[in-house]
Amino acid sequence: MSGGRPGVTGTGPWPGLDVLEAQTVVVGDLVDTPSEVAGLPFTVTLAERGPWCDRTGRAAALLAELPTELGPHGWKLADRPSRDLARAQAYVREDVDALAVAGHGWSGPLVVPVLGPMTLAASLYLSRGDRVVSDAGAVRELAASLAAGLAEHLAAIRRSVPGAEPTVLLHEPLLAQVMAGVLPSFSGYSALRSVPGPVAAERIGDVARALDGARVVVHGGTAWTSLGAIRAAAVDGFALAVPALDERSWEKVAEVIEGGLAFWPELAPQASSQCAGPDVTGQADTLTRPWRSVGLPMAGLRDVVLLAGDITGKGSPDDARAVLAGLVRAARIVAERAEA
């Protein structure tokens, strides 16, 4: 994916309301990276526009023949298409149109982040009942619907940007909790029954296999316990938030890397102060030090793709842009250490 040099991309969320401006900045900045770093443009998600545009709303809008609506507690399955669904779908079309303008003439990798089937099942509610994840049949139907809808979405992106080579970044921050059986029920008085790892892997695999040759990377959030299901889903790569990993976690990460999956580490935003500039060296250290300590070959750092974490939490679009720029500088340090 990164051509033998560390890559840099984002996880989707971006501050602001203007999707064309946001997409133009992201594509422009990540195409124009130093030669030792591979910039991977990504499709943006502007959640400030409302619940129709956050990760759950975006994924709900992509579902094929499975209508949804906004309820008092968030998105839920519906008996018929709703005005909220129509609005969310209109935003999806607007975003693809913006991508066509911002990505005009671009040929190369494009990261398409979207909520994965298990986290979506834990975030959506049944039309009359608890979370979708509480019903095994509904989870199966939801995964099939997401697979079909996401395949259509990728086809629309390819028509809009013919040179794009999509990689889907499936966000599964609740995967570990789903498998552990710790998610609260609707009433809050009990926990939902756990979903076995092989079943979760099968549902993720259902989506990955439907995507017409696109590469698929699954982001397990902060929990290394999601790695078994991710690995069993037979996808191309995995992502985890590096600051959450301890020594034991890194040993599990090393096993998966050695098993052949690409690693997309999410790094915390750079620290800065009035007296010193951004600590991009410290940012790179959070990856390279544990990488070395678990015995992974330093040359393997050429194949990682660094993810910018918590971009929307940095405030303005200019602040988010600075986070990406800092991550590019951290990637240059990672590239240097890969050659050591």
Side-chain angles (χ1 to χ4, degrees), residues 155-179:
I157 287 175
R158 289 185 173 110
R159 288 193 298 270
S160 298
V161 187
E165 302 167 4
T167 289
V168 175
L169 179 62
L170 286 178
H171 282 285
E172 287 284 8
L174 298 181
L175 176 58
Q177 295 179 51
V178 166
M179 294 190 297

Side-chain angles (χ1 to χ4, degrees), residues 37-85:
V37 176
L40 282 62
F42 59 94
T43 58
V44 296
T45 304
L46 304 187
E48 289 180 31
R49 295 182 295 185
W52 316 275
C53 300
D54 61 16
R55 280 178 176 163
T56 304
R58 171 55 54 88
L62 296 179
L63 294 174
E65 300 181 0
L66 197 61
T68 55
E69 63 184 358
L70 271 173
H73 302 284
W75 286 93
K76 65 177 185 175
L77 302 182
D79 297 327
R80 60 184 63 86
S82 64
R83 290 183 179 180
D84 287 312
L85 176 59

Side-chain angles (χ1 to χ4, degrees), residues 123-186:
S123 304
L124 282 178
Y125 286 85
L126 298 165
S127 57
R128 298 171 186 82
D130 217 310
R131 301 173 195 252
V132 171
V133 75
S134 65
D135 183 324
V139 174
R140 187 182 303 108
E141 183 180 1
L142 181 71
S145 175
L146 179 62
L150 186 51
E152 292 178 7
H153 183 54
L154 292 184
I157 287 175
R158 289 185 173 110
R159 288 193 298 270
S160 298
V161 187
E165 302 167 4
T167 289
V168 175
L169 179 62
L170 286 178
H171 282 285
E172 287 284 8
L174 298 181
L175 176 58
Q177 295 179 51
V178 166
M179 294 190 297
V182 296
L183 286 175
S185 65
F186 182 78

Side-chain angles (χ1 to χ4, degrees), residues 255-303:
E255 289 178 11
V256 181
I257 293 173
E258 290 168 346
L261 267 65
F263 184 35
W264 289 31
E266 179 184 319
L267 305 189
Q270 59 195 8
S272 54
S273 67
Q274 295 180 344
C275 301
D279 184 16
V280 295
T281 300
Q283 193 178 29
D285 285 346
T286 63
L287 170 64
T288 61
R289 283 180 177 171
W291 183 283
R292 181 185 290 110
S293 70
V294 294
L296 287 167
M298 297 303 285
L301 289 167
R302 299 190 192 104
D303 300 319

